[in-house]
Amino acid sequence: MPINQLLKGCERTPEEIELLNRAFDHALHLLGVLDRDDPLCRMVARDVIDICAAGTNDPRKIAKIAVERMGLR
């Protein structure tokens, strides 16, 4: 799972990790991505982390913004 790979070594609370994973999973669902090895997953994960770092704490909103940034929907 790419998002967990990107979070290694980062100081995050378990709650933050759960939020990021929920947002990531929802974004992949919105995009219809099933293969976690798809290179698109890494791009989505980076966007999810960046959006959360900017202060958005709603996983569905984070996912929606990430998908919009991708320009695929």
Side-chain angles (χ1 to χ4, degrees):
M1 177 182 273
I3 199 153
N4 286 334
Q5 292 172 355
L6 294 175
L7 294 173
K8 285 182 182 175
C10 294
E11 291 186 28
R12 305 263 183 194
T13 66
E15 292 81 15
E16 289 173 314
I17 293 170
E18 176 64 24
L19 171 93
L20 290 166
N21 275 292
R22 287 181 31 217
F24 177 67
D25 289 342
H26 189 61
L28 294 182
H29 174 75
L30 291 174
L31 291 167
V33 176
L34 299 175
D35 180 6
R36 296 298 174 111
D37 293 324
D38 187 318
L40 184 62
C41 290
R42 185 171 287 279
M43 291 185 281
V44 171
R46 285 186 184 131
D47 275 346
V48 164
I49 292 167
D50 290 345
I51 295 162
C52 185
T56 305
N57 293 318
D58 177 5
R60 291 191 176 270
K61 186 172 183 178
I62 292 169
K64 183 179 177 216
I65 294 168
V67 169
E68 289 172 355
R69 281 188 182 182
M70 306 288 307
L72 299 174
R73 294 248 167 165

